[in-house]
Amino acid sequence: MWALCIGALIILSITNWVYRWRNPRCDGKLPPGSMGWPLLGETLRFFTPNTTHDIAPFIKERMKRYGPIFRTSLVGRPVVVSADPDFNYFIFQQEGHLFESWYPDTFTEIFGRQNVGSLHGFMYRYLKNMVLYLFGPESLKKMLPEVEEVAIRRLRHWSNQDKVEVKDATASMIFHLTAKKLISHDSESSSENLRANFDAFIKGLISFPLDMPGTAYHECLQGRKKAMRMLKNLMQERRATPRKHQSDFFDYVLEELKKEGTILTEAIALDLMFVLLFASFETTSLALTLAIKFLSDHPRVLKQLTEEHEAILRKRDDASSGLSWKEYKLMTYTFQFINETVRLANIVPGVFRRALRDIQFKGYTIPAGWAVVACPPAVHLNPTKYEDPLSFNPERWEGIEVNGASKHFMAFGGGMRFCVGTDFTKVQMAVFLHCLVTKYRWQIIEGGNIVRTPGLQFPDGFHIQLRKKDALNLEDA
């Protein structure tokens, strides 16, 4: 009898727990949706790969069923997902007031508990200003010749190969430049393969968070540990033998650590260097890979882009001179091309925030403490804003100046956390495209099919053969 009573109590407790899980308490009307299975939620569906340019099936199916704002549960947390342009923009603008930056514990474990994305208020603004020391306009002007020199050298090397795997080649090029500016690491001569640790990290970045040997997530954590060990060893070496003059960003960071009363800690500094190394090369190489794919698929766009860059060469007094900042700022069609590339690339599939208090929006209540995910792909592929949104059409940006995020374009985030590396990304892409289209022609050898996970999209196994063009006739026709 007692066994039956205890069994009944257990069943009632489990039933009540499941009911509470699927019907969370709220002082108002929650957005529609499903919380999925207890604890697991809808995590598995969220991580299902997508092989198209379109909005991920997880988001698209729920938009049709529930509308642009819906609730779900990911990795054990209640989440409101927004594909609504107005709500997304509201989220960005209310950073620090109604929302704060937040990512699941698994992401925090990967990027570090002191990473810049997890910090708030004055500490975040302090780190942002530090990064602007490296990626601000004045620094980029000085960096332009170096960016061009790296692109020229790499393209020359690729043209002597039978085929080039574009994603790996562009990632290697950008990592070489970024690691040199950040920590004076020369990937071509160093005995330590720093990038290999980041490759392992990236492969498991968007994977089911199961930390067991053999899983992608485990390899991701191991990649981070090895990269962080290298950075920590470098910090100890620099401290033991300090340089007379600052030669890279790491020297600047170490000077900040020495200052009396500094709020910067060693842990924050190391996490900052790790995130900068990852973000500055991985996202840009993905965008460049897709840019080459789009140019291969759209000859008319390639022709117009080539004409713009050949016109730059024709207008020069000295044909052998490098790109100037003035020439860079005049690349009108190139910037339209870049905007359209990152719109369709949707490299950042979701921006995580947490509600600081109960928030009312369009008749719904988002309870305090709930996670909120703004979904840029749903905004970028909205047919009410972008005609034929899945087509690649740089001309749609004609006459539109993009200096930051808007309700309908948030490829680089928005609000106070608008990506400080945006201009650096555009410089790298524009300079590389200039060197590519004026000096080389190419053909696809194999691959190019789109593979997209919730975090990354890229042409899988995309190989090209690159060959130098005949010398450009600089005389006016």
Side-chain angles (χ1 to χ4, degrees):
M1 185 68 178
W2 281 107
L4 287 174
C5 290
I6 292 171
L9 283 173
I10 292 173
I11 292 172
L12 284 172
S13 297
I14 292 173
T15 302
N16 181 64
W17 177 59
V18 171
Y19 177 81
R20 290 297 182 191
W21 173 269
R22 294 187 172 180
N23 300 273
R25 291 179 180 176
C26 175
D27 294 331
K29 181 183 177 183
L30 280 171
S34 169
M35 304 303 286
W37 294 96
L39 299 181
L40 186 62
E42 297 187 301
T43 306
L44 294 178
R45 291 293 306 279
F46 178 76
F47 283 105
T48 302
N50 177 19
T51 57
T52 72
H53 278 303
D54 207 348
I55 301 167
F58 177 87
I59 303 293
K60 196 169 186 178
E61 290 168 8
R62 284 154 184 76
M63 286 174 63
K64 288 181 179 178
R65 190 182 308 168
Y66 305 120
I69 302 175
F70 60 88
R71 74 174 187 268
T72 183
S73 175
L74 303 174
V75 291
R77 289 295 302 259
V79 176
V80 169
V81 178
S82 171
D84 183 285
D86 294 326
F87 190 36
N88 288 351
Y89 190 70
F90 177 74
I91 292 168
F92 288 135
Q93 296 306 308
Q94 292 300 318
E95 169 82 26
H97 301 289
L98 300 179
F99 301 94
E100 68 177 7
S101 179
W102 174 88
Y103 284 88
D105 291 341
T106 52
F107 279 71
T108 306
E109 191 72 25
I110 289 171
F111 284 107
R113 299 197 174 276
Q114 300 292 326
N115 81 82
V116 65
S118 299
L119 299 174
H120 311 288
F122 179 77
M123 191 69 215
Y124 170 76
R125 292 191 294 273
Y126 170 75
L127 292 181
K128 184 176 180 179
N129 287 332
M130 283 183 64
V131 176
L132 283 173
Y133 172 84
L134 177 67
F135 293 143
E138 292 307 312
S139 296
L140 291 178
K141 288 179 185 179
K142 298 174 184 175
M143 203 187 298
L144 190 67
E146 190 174 355
V147 175
E148 184 179 20
E149 193 273 330
V150 169
I152 289 171
R153 190 171 68 247
R154 289 302 177 107
L155 284 166
R156 186 187 303 125
H157 174 65
W158 299 351
S159 68
N160 293 321
Q161 298 178 320
D162 291 334
K163 64 179 181 179
V164 176
E165 204 287 302
V166 179
K167 172 61 178 65
D168 182 70
T170 53
S172 175
M173 174 185 70
I174 296 169
F175 188 81
H176 173 76
L177 173 65
T178 305
K180 195 170 183 180
K181 300 303 294 184
L182 288 172
I183 59 175
S184 297
H185 176 81
D186 189 338
S187 58
E188 295 176 347
S189 61
S190 175
S191 59
E192 295 182 295
N193 192 347
L194 180 60
R195 193 191 149 208
N197 297 321
F198 279 91
D199 286 340
F201 171 80
I202 290 161
K203 288 176 183 176
L205 178 60
I206 305 297
S207 61
F208 190 77
L210 181 63
D211 186 12
M212 291 180 61
T215 64
Y217 184 72
H218 178 78
E219 294 302 312
C220 176
L221 292 177
Q222 293 304 306
R224 171 183 162 78
K225 285 180 182 177
K226 291 176 183 177
M228 290 297 287
R229 190 181 305 124
M230 290 178 68
L231 290 173
K232 192 166 187 177
N233 289 341
L234 177 61
M235 177 177 281
Q236 291 171 348
E237 290 172 11
R238 293 280 182 95
R239 281 175 163 169
T241 55
R243 301 182 180 187
K244 293 182 179 180
H245 304 287
Q246 289 184 14
S247 61
D248 57 26
F249 186 67
F250 213 177
D251 283 339
Y252 173 69
V253 170
L254 289 172
E255 286 300 316
E256 287 292 313
L257 281 170
K258 289 179 185 177
K259 290 181 178 178
E260 186 177 349
T262 182
I263 61 173
L264 187 64
T265 66
E266 181 177 307
I268 293 174
L270 289 171
D271 278 342
L272 175 65
M273 300 305 297
F274 179 85
V275 169
L276 288 177
L277 279 166
F278 162 74
S280 57
F281 92 92
E282 178 60 18
T283 53
T284 307
S285 63
L286 286 168
L288 269 181
T289 302
L290 284 164
I292 295 173
K293 177 68 166 63
F294 290 142
L295 288 175
S296 303
D297 292 343
H298 299 84
R300 180 189 59 79
V301 174
L302 173 58
K303 181 176 181 293
Q304 189 163 344
L305 188 71
T306 303
E307 288 172 353
E308 176 170 89
H309 287 277
E310 288 183 347
I312 289 173
L313 299 183
R314 289 192 175 95
K315 291 177 182 177
R316 284 181 184 167
D317 294 330
D318 181 0
S320 63
S321 64
L323 265 174
S324 68
W325 189 254
K326 181 180 179 181
E327 289 172 338
Y328 165 71
K329 298 300 285 185
L330 292 174
M331 295 178 181
T332 305
Y333 187 73
T334 303
F335 293 129
Q336 294 174 23
F337 175 83
I338 291 172
N339 287 340
E340 184 70 349
T341 298
V342 296
R343 180 187 73 84
L344 279 175
N346 284 313
I347 293 169
V348 179
V351 180
F352 286 76
R353 295 290 184 266
R354 178 168 52 198
L356 294 174
R357 55 177 180 265
D358 285 2
I359 296 164
Q360 312 293 325
F361 195 88
K362 292 189 175 180
Y364 297 128
T365 298
I366 292 86
W370 275 45
V372 180
V373 180
C375 181
V379 173
H380 296 157
L381 300 175
N382 184 350
T384 62
K385 173 60 181 177
Y386 298 103
E387 184 180 351
D388 194 9
L390 291 174
S391 69
F392 185 78
N393 178 22
E395 282 80 3
R396 72 171 82 242
W397 296 96
E398 188 173 355
I400 300 175
E401 190 170 344
V402 179
N403 292 319
S406 68
K407 289 184 181 180
H408 303 288
F409 185 70
M410 46 191 64
F412 300 101
M416 66 177 289
R417 289 184 184 265
F418 185 76
C419 177
V420 293
T422 297
D423 289 336
F424 182 48
T425 296
K426 290 181 177 180
V427 165
Q428 290 183 96
M429 291 186 70
V431 171
F432 176 84
L433 290 169
H434 172 79
C435 298
L436 175 68
V437 301
T438 57
K439 295 180 173 66
Y440 296 90
R441 52 184 171 78
W442 69 93
Q443 61 179 347
I444 297 176
I445 300 299
E446 59 182 283
N449 294 325
I450 297 299
V451 172
R452 188 202 295 262
T453 70
L456 303 172
Q457 169 190 277
F458 55 92
D460 186 30
F462 181 36
H463 292 79
I464 63 170
Q465 185 181 71
L466 190 74
R467 292 294 179 262
K468 196 165 180 62
K469 286 182 177 180
D470 295 331
L472 174 67
N473 180 12
L474 295 177
E475 297 297 328
D476 291 331

